[in-house]
Amino acid sequence: MQDSRHRSPTAIELHRFPGDGTIPNNAALALIVYRGAFASAPDIAAACEARFAANRWGDGWRNGIYDYHHYHSTAHEALGIAAGSASVRFGGEGGSTVVVRAGDVVVIPAGVGHKLVDGTPDLLVVGAYPDGQQPDLQTADPGRHDASARRIAAVPLPTADPLHGPDGPLIRHWRD
């Protein structure tokens, strides 16, 4: 469910997802969607990689989004939409579908489920994780829920927003 919409250097949306019994999600930290963060960049993928790296979000990759519910219990994740558009379901089956387009960036707190519902053939995503965090891949499994929830609670907050650095909106929202 959408919490609020703010104006900042880039328009942002906040979404919160409580656990659903199979996917822990993260009730403490909001998923953040930065709308149009790289809309004017001539090479969005390269711009995402450079900005993420400058703000200490590394271990980057280029690909798409898995078409099944999954989450990471050991890392937060930034997704820069470098080309195309997609409908992504966040928070598990009971969550919300969010449409993202080239130039948008989504920051997913550890534990929040995500799944590609539909995407254009040219969809390209640039992913990254806060320095020092290594993602695992977890799927919706009630048998792993409690152990995953304990790992999620121990994931440290990043030292910087992947777009705006140490004083960015992510830091303000996640520390409140």
Side-chain angles (χ1 to χ4, degrees):
M1 96 171 127
Q2 188 171 343
D3 248 3
S4 61
R5 184 170 265 204
H6 299 275
R7 289 269 171 208
S8 188
T10 304
I12 67 172
E13 298 170 10
L14 302 176
H15 301 262
R16 293 191 184 274
F17 303 101
D20 69 2
T22 60
I23 295 178
N25 288 315
N26 195 321
L29 302 177
L31 177 139
I32 301 177
V33 181
Y34 292 89
R35 295 292 182 184
F38 291 103
S40 63
D43 182 344
I44 295 173
C48 285
E49 290 167 336
R51 182 79 61 86
F52 292 168
N55 289 311
R56 297 181 303 278
W57 285 65
D59 199 19
W61 50 266
R62 291 185 184 198
N63 204 336
I65 300 170
Y66 292 131
D67 62 358
Y68 56 89
H69 290 290
H70 66 284
Y71 63 93
H72 310 290
S73 69
T74 56
H76 307 296
E77 183 174 35
L79 302 178
I81 310 304
S85 64
S87 295
V88 183
R89 175 65 108 186
F90 293 103
E93 283 302 320
S96 299
T97 299
V98 176
V99 175
V100 291
R101 295 174 178 80
D104 292 347
V105 172
V106 180
V107 183
I108 307 169
V112 172
H114 45 292
K115 164 190 172 176
L116 178 69
V117 175
D118 188 34
T120 58
D122 62 337
L123 178 64
L124 177 62
V125 178
V126 173
Y129 310 94
D131 283 355
Q133 295 184 15
Q134 296 295 316
D136 60 354
L137 181 65
Q138 300 291 324
T139 57
D141 180 350
R144 294 184 180 176
H145 180 277
D146 292 348
S148 289
R150 285 190 295 277
R151 286 191 302 276
I152 292 161
V155 174
L157 295 177
T159 59
D161 179 302
L163 294 179
H164 304 290
D167 297 318
L170 176 140
I171 300 303
R172 289 192 306 273
H173 288 291
W174 282 14
R175 292 220 163 102
D176 288 344

